[in-house]
Amino acid sequence: MSRIDFAVGIGGAAGQGIATPGDILARIFVRRGLHLNAYNAYQSIIRGGHIFLILRASVDRVGSMGDKIDALIPLNQDTMNRHLKHLHAGGVCLYDGDKINPGPPNEGAQMCPLPVRELAGASKIPNAQNTIALGALLQMLGIDFQLFEDILARQFAKKGDAVVAENIGVARAGYDYATGHFTAFPNSLPDTGKRYAFVEGNQVLAMGGAAAGVKFYCAYPMSPSTGVLHWMARNARKLGIMVRQVEDEIGVINMAIGAAHTGCRAMCATSGGGFALMTEALGAAAMMEIPVVCIDVQRAGPATGVPTKTEQGDLWQVMGAGQGDYPRVIVAPTSIPDCFHTITELFNLVDKFQCPGIVLTDLLLSEGRASVEPSEFNFNPPIDRGEIIGWRGNGDGDTPPPEGGYKRFKITDSGVSPRALPGTPGYVHVVATDEHEEDGVLISDEFTHPHKRQAMHEKRMRKMHGMLALINPPKLFGPVNASVTLIGWGSTEGVIREACEKLAGEEAIVANNLQIKWLVPLHADHILSVLSNSQTTIIVENNYSGQFARYLRSETSFVPTGHIRKYDGEPFMPHHIVDGVKQILARTTNLYVPVHEYIV
Amino acid sequence: MPAKTSASTQPPAPTTPETKPLGAQLTAKDFKGRVDPDWCPGCGDFSVLSSLEQALAELGLQPHEVIVISGIGCSSNLPGFINTYGMHTLHGRAVAVASGVQLGNHTLKVIATGGDGDGYGIGGNHFIHCMRRNYDLTYLVMNNQIYGLTTGQCSPTSAEGMKTKSTPFGNVERPINPLALAIADGATYVARGFSGQQKHLVELIKGGIRHRGFALIDVFSPCVTYNKDNTYQWFRPRVKTLEELGHDPSDFHKAMERACQWGDEIPIGLFWKRDDIPALDQLEPVLAEGGPLAHRPLGIDPEIAKSLMEELM
């Protein structure tokens, strides 16, 4: 690809301070108006093991970690041994020459040993090699030292002037050393004049919640969803959000439902294991007609699985969550910025239809980081609370009770019944998880009645029709008359679209992408009509059994030409999809499973 | 007065809203629900329901100011039988939902109700953590030492040796002691009542609702159908009020000692109470001003929104 595209890989053991140089570099890039994508491959360990962060910058949006590394910074021998082979011609490897033995580089790769002991001098700052390597790299990228200095000053401000000065000194030593000893990259990274924010998916989910007016957030810590809790806890007091860490996920969802019933917008997040504990309560929310939002950040399962690795393996769990049929929305955001819009839109939907909403992200989106244009996030989005009685927030709160008594579950054409909040005079009622009549009286124990049960069940399920009309159908990305349509859902949008570009540029294969975001309800007819024009169709997903392929088939009878699946815990790289498309087009297989090259 | 429906195969008739003007002094009758309880004749829960209605009236509360939240079980049907807001949630989850309600709108009087299986068994984890956190809730547990709605299996409070459908040769497990657990765990109002002594129970419930913090009121509420051991006749000669026995509810060690007492003399009354620990909602700065969370306007101040993004640039 001709566009500017630069990726740095920083690797080491947990505890070696990989996050800090990653953050510093990211801030430098976004200050120069470069877009970014960061993926951190790590292990469930606090100290030791191996971590590998890939930070990729470009003038255009970056939707994946890409296929190559231009600069490698191995902070220990293990990283050198694992990843030097991934550095190709034109790439550079910056390392502590005193401690790390270089392996044999690929032809054309530049090895840059840094005399860390000498350059650090008397400095006692921990992880001096990180700062020295960053200094050298920035010099080779043609980035002004002043910017590096500003970012270091900000990064270490809390630790005092002495620490800032020491870091700047060490950085300068690395920067200057590179000038005389290494060959700079032929093109320096431009300054586009724009300024972006650098955000993590979990932060964006939390910010979306705050913007939507979430007043109650609770969770039990579970990787990779915990970042939402951390952001909420940090900002709770500033934003007037009640944040609670609860004893278990059953408590989490039930507490959220309680708060939601009083009129708060309430949200919680977990991963697949925690979600499994929440399932009965999701049905309860639907039965009591209480709007609540639950985020499932998928990780590699089953059971404890691989806690620090990604997967799209919970689709069927989420679709099958809870006993019986009940109305709900299931949505899978397609990019990190999309996490924001998804939450604000979803709250309006669940408020309007008084049912649970489930967000399916995964480790790739939630712990992945990306650049965003700050104006992209609207912190005062349109709010629709639906038919609500007694809410004094942005409403009047005083509606006289209806003649003949209030019926909380009044049977209506839309399936939606006006919802009175507890505390409102004249609207006293009971909501129950047992089947009930329009006025809330149970028809589960003493007064069972098949016709009333049927009517109430149909009332609830009618909401699904109204929802579908308010949800955008998926749009085809790329040329309409492509020879290949790549179908994905949720987080894979970025990598699939990059694969489309690669297929066009390098393989002369015209491909387009149909990315599905709203999973339930599903625009099945629309999807089927789009796909009926496609020659070759391939479903790309991060799981073993083709969960989305099976779902799409169940809803539409659609069977694709082939499948590309990955379930090793790591996300797709663009070339994995390119290779799969080629093989499926050559009819050598209809199921391609790539082999991940980076071992972390 | 809501329309009444007697037990029959017919569903209840449509109801009319309460006719007394807002703010009028209500009586227990005004808290009668639209449906008569479907409990077995003689069930201890009738007395608990009446006591709760009486307590609400005596406290001068209005139906819309109160929300009664239950789990699942015979006693958990209670919210359907009382004229207040109500939630009839999932088995074991009453106090979890109730704590969310309490924080969502801390101006409501939140009362959780249920049975021993619901609260001390399947809901045990929520129970211990809600007490530790001292939410401002009143939790009424109708303890009949048996699973009734599932037709008579042993419960966490069933006595050792008790024969039930799931322990036909006698229960080999030892029962939980909910009062001692609550006192040790951080509940700030711990009491026990008996369905056979309604006046005494009304006072305990009133005290629990007035108390600012987690109030556990365990009530001996005999199951006349499935528990043939712990009957009214069994309890009557044994229960003694702590008032008769002489007890200082601010004395932790005495409270524990009384909570562990069982046999020929079983104390009921207020075992333990402390007022020096604020309820959780009083400790949360988010609730310090601005009224109930549920009714606050949505939207973020533009300056704060800007600062949120600037942190990330």
Side-chain angles (χ1 to χ4, degrees):
Chain A
M1 269 179 295
S2 58
R3 68 177 187 191
I4 292 162
D5 178 2
F6 181 83
V8 190
I10 307 175
Q16 273 197 300
I18 287 166
T20 309
D23 283 350
I24 291 170
L25 214 45
R27 284 191 193 277
I28 289 172
F29 289 157
V30 293
R31 284 274 184 104
R32 291 177 69 90
L34 293 171
H35 273 297
L36 277 186
N37 177 285
Y39 171 70
N40 191 27
Y42 71 110
Q43 304 169 331
S44 191
I45 186 169
I46 308 302
R47 291 282 181 271
H50 178 58
I51 295 179
F52 195 52
L53 169 72
I54 295 179
L55 191 66
R56 187 174 171 221
S58 172
V59 173
D60 306 311
R61 265 193 193 286
V62 196
S64 83
M65 67 166 127
D67 286 320
K68 63 177 176 62
I69 296 167
D70 300 287
L72 176 67
I73 303 181
L75 300 178
N76 61 10
Q77 188 66 50
D78 180 37
T79 307
M80 178 70 90
N81 299 345
R82 285 176 194 245
H83 299 296
L84 185 61
K85 58 177 171 284
H86 302 124
L87 191 69
H88 295 285
V92 306
C93 176
L94 297 148
Y95 61 100
D96 182 349
D98 300 334
K99 288 189 181 156
I100 299 170
N101 296 317
N106 286 316
E107 204 181 320
Q110 185 186 179
M111 297 304 285
C112 308
L114 294 154
V116 168
R117 205 178 300 126
E118 179 195 324
L119 294 174
S123 168
K124 291 274 182 294
I125 59 167
N127 306 323
Q129 64 162 335
N130 304 6
T131 313
I132 291 169
L134 277 191
L137 176 66
L138 291 170
Q139 189 280 333
M140 294 166 83
L141 285 168
I143 291 172
D144 205 37
F145 186 74
Q146 186 60 48
L147 179 57
F148 189 21
E149 203 176 312
D150 293 349
I151 302 285
L152 282 172
R154 175 182 161 147
Q155 186 83 23
F156 295 106
K158 279 189 190 150
K159 296 189 175 170
D161 292 347
V163 175
V164 170
E166 213 173 334
N167 269 282
I168 291 172
V170 165
R172 181 91 233 180
Y175 195 90
D176 290 345
Y177 185 81
T179 314
H181 294 83
F182 309 137
T183 310
F185 287 97
N187 301 308
S188 60
L189 278 180
D191 186 337
T192 67
K194 296 190 174 128
R195 295 291 177 269
Y196 300 125
F198 185 53
V199 294
E200 188 201 57
N202 279 332
Q203 287 173 344
V204 178
L205 290 163
M207 285 193 283
V214 165
K215 299 286 177 211
F216 190 90
Y217 180 84
C218 59
Y220 183 89
M222 183 170 188
S223 297
S225 68
T226 316
V228 186
L229 172 64
H230 292 171
W231 190 93
M232 283 290 189
R234 204 165 57 242
N235 293 290
R237 293 183 183 181
K238 184 159 61 180
L239 295 168
I241 300 174
M242 172 66 69
V243 178
R244 309 269 22 119
Q245 180 179 327
V246 186
E247 60 276 3
D248 59 36
E249 287 89 348
I250 304 178
V252 166
I253 186 71
N254 281 284
M255 241 181 127
I257 288 170
H261 185 59
T262 65
C264 294
R265 281 192 159 180
M267 183 165 95
C268 56
T270 183
S271 186
F275 187 85
L277 298 183
M278 294 185 176
T279 57
E280 188 187 22
L282 289 164
M287 194 67 159
M288 296 187 286
E289 308 206 26
I290 297 170
V292 66
V293 167
C294 172
I295 301 167
D296 174 5
V297 181
Q298 300 164 99
R299 70 190 210 191
T304 309
V306 198
T308 61
K309 299 295 169 189
T310 199
E311 197 162 273
Q312 294 181 298
D314 291 358
L315 178 61
W316 280 75
Q317 170 177 224
V318 163
M319 286 197 306
Q323 60 272 37
D325 289 314
Y326 62 90
R328 76 274 202 237
V329 189
I330 303 175
V331 59
T334 59
S335 68
I336 289 170
D338 189 44
C339 289
F340 189 93
H341 315 303
T342 300
I343 300 287
T344 58
E345 259 184 271
L346 183 61
F347 265 105
N348 285 347
L349 277 174
V350 299
D351 258 358
K352 209 171 165 60
F353 293 100
Q354 303 172 9
C355 69
I358 302 163
V359 182
L360 262 181
T361 71
D362 49 27
L363 181 137
L364 176 65
L365 275 195
S366 272
E367 291 196 340
R369 285 178 292 169
S371 51
V372 289
E373 175 75 53
S375 62
E376 226 177 299
F377 292 167
N378 177 5
F379 279 90
N380 279 293
I383 301 283
D384 182 355
R385 298 229 59 187
E387 296 180 63
I388 193 166
I389 298 164
W391 184 53
R392 298 190 291 280
N394 306 81
D396 61 15
D398 288 320
T399 313
E403 286 291 318
Y406 167 65
K407 290 180 174 166
R408 169 64 188 92
F409 303 103
K410 190 173 164 53
I411 291 183
T412 59
D413 290 344
S414 64
V416 176
S417 325
R419 170 166 86 111
L421 302 182
T424 312
Y427 287 87
V428 163
H429 66 274
V430 177
V431 296
T433 62
D434 285 62
E435 190 58 282
H436 40 260
E437 281 207 79
E438 286 184 292
D439 58 5
V441 169
L442 304 196
I443 50 168
S444 56
D445 298 344
E446 191 179 349
F447 307 117
T448 56
H449 195 298
H451 299 165
K452 291 189 171 184
R453 149 69 180 176
Q454 185 182 341
M456 191 52 69
H457 203 11
E458 286 171 353
K459 168 202 121 70
R460 276 191 301 272
M461 295 310 293
R462 268 203 296 282
K463 297 177 188 179
M464 298 304 291
H465 304 300
M467 264 177 226
L468 188 66
L470 296 181
I471 287 170
N472 288 329
K475 278 200 195 115
L476 201 61
F477 168 88
V480 178
N481 297 316
S483 53
V484 179
T485 297
L486 295 171
I487 306 152
W489 62 282
S491 65
T492 53
E493 180 182 270
V495 71
I496 292 177
R497 292 186 178 178
E498 192 172 337
C500 288
E501 287 176 31
K502 259 184 122 92
L503 282 162
E506 296 169 15
E507 311 289 341
I509 295 169
V510 182
N512 56 24
N513 164 230
L514 188 68
Q515 196 71 14
I516 314 297
K517 170 177 171 175
W518 298 97
L519 297 163
V520 175
L522 185 74
H523 273 289
D525 294 343
H526 174 84
I527 291 170
L528 203 53
S529 82
V530 170
L531 294 180
S532 64
N533 297 321
S534 305
Q535 299 166 33
T536 299
T537 49
I538 299 171
I539 298 183
V540 181
E541 52 188 319
N542 241 169
N543 61 52
Y544 174 84
S545 68
Q547 295 193 11
F548 181 76
R550 288 191 285 131
Y551 174 49
L552 188 63
R553 188 172 179 173
S554 76
E555 295 295 306
T556 62
S557 301
F558 176 81
V559 179
T561 318
H563 305 267
I564 301 174
R565 294 182 196 153
K566 197 162 184 288
Y567 40 86
D568 53 19
E570 294 293 337
F572 283 104
M573 293 163 79
H575 75 274
H576 293 146
I577 298 171
V578 169
D579 293 346
V581 169
K582 283 157 65 184
Q583 290 220 17
I584 290 166
L585 283 175
R587 298 288 189 266
T588 53
T589 183
N590 63 1
L591 171 61
Y592 180 76
V593 180
V595 177
H596 202 75
E597 292 87 351
Y598 300 160
I599 306 300
V600 179
Chain B
M1 259 302 292
K4 301 289 301 182
T5 307
S6 58
S8 76
T9 54
Q10 285 302 305
T15 59
T16 49
E18 65 200 65
T19 48
K20 282 193 183 169
L22 264 184
Q25 175 59 52
L26 305 182
T27 65
K29 272 185 177 175
D30 296 305
F31 285 95
K32 289 256 177 286
R34 56 184 61 167
V35 182
D36 279 339
D38 57 6
W39 295 317
C40 303
C43 174
D45 296 350
F46 284 101
S47 166
V48 179
L49 173 63
S50 304
S51 302
L52 178 57
E53 290 164 348
Q54 183 65 32
L56 294 175
E58 287 184 21
L59 289 170
L61 290 162
Q62 299 285 320
H64 72 272
E65 296 170 327
V66 181
I67 183 163
V68 181
I69 300 168
S70 69
I72 294 295
C74 294
S75 56
S76 283
N77 287 343
L78 189 143
F81 311 139
I82 191 165
N83 181 34
T84 66
Y85 277 97
M87 296 180 83
H88 187 170
T89 74
L90 295 170
H91 195 29
R93 312 303 163 213
V95 290
V97 175
S99 55
V101 168
Q102 204 276 328
L103 296 177
N105 185 344
H106 63 286
T107 63
L108 293 169
K109 289 282 176 213
V110 186
I111 295 158
T113 64
D116 41 307
D118 192 66
Y120 307 148
I122 190 168
N125 203 22
H126 311 309
F127 176 60
I128 58 173
H129 290 282
C130 286
M131 291 195 288
R132 165 176 81 82
R133 297 182 185 125
N134 199 31
Y135 293 116
D136 189 13
L137 300 176
T138 305
Y139 189 25
L140 266 173
V141 179
M142 286 157 262
N143 181 357
N144 58 13
Q145 299 160 270
I146 195 84
Y147 278 76
L149 199 55
T150 51
T151 72
Q153 299 78 23
C154 80
S155 98
T157 51
S158 294
E160 210 175 342
M162 185 175 181
K163 286 187 178 171
T164 71
K165 282 187 188 164
S166 60
T167 54
F169 309 106
N171 183 16
V172 298
E173 297 176 9
R174 291 158 55 79
I176 201 168
N177 182 332
L179 301 190
L181 175 65
I183 294 165
D185 191 40
T188 48
Y189 181 103
V190 179
R192 179 157 62 204
F194 172 42
S195 285
Q197 296 197 19
Q198 200 171 312
K199 268 191 185 158
H200 180 253
L201 181 56
V202 170
E203 292 308 315
L204 292 178
I205 296 174
K206 277 162 63 185
I209 294 173
R210 272 201 214 103
H211 175 70
R212 197 77 168 82
F214 193 97
L216 171 70
I217 305 166
D218 181 87
V219 185
F220 291 139
S221 180
C223 173
V224 294
T225 306
Y226 293 110
N227 188 340
K228 304 296 184 196
D229 295 355
N230 308 104
T231 59
Y232 284 102
Q233 295 72 19
W234 188 87
F235 280 115
R236 272 205 186 95
R238 289 178 171 80
V239 297
K240 296 273 181 325
T241 67
L242 287 167
E243 293 78 9
E244 293 172 65
L245 295 167
H247 176 65
D248 173 8
S250 67
D251 184 328
F252 178 84
H253 295 284
K254 287 273 161 50
M256 265 295 182
E257 210 173 287
R258 286 299 188 187
C260 294
Q261 193 180 340
W262 192 265
D264 292 340
E265 184 181 272
I266 302 173
I268 60 170
L270 179 59
F271 287 71
W272 170 240
K273 182 174 187 290
R274 64 188 296 180
D275 296 310
D276 56 329
I277 297 185
L280 190 95
D281 60 284
Q282 295 172 301
L283 291 170
E284 253 303 332
V286 168
L287 294 180
E289 50 186 64
L293 282 173
H295 294 288
R296 294 186 190 175
L298 309 189
I300 296 181
D301 177 80
E303 282 305 307
I304 293 177
K306 208 174 148 202
S307 75
L308 293 174
M309 286 310 287
E310 268 165 8
E311 271 174 30
L312 301 163
M313 294 185 72

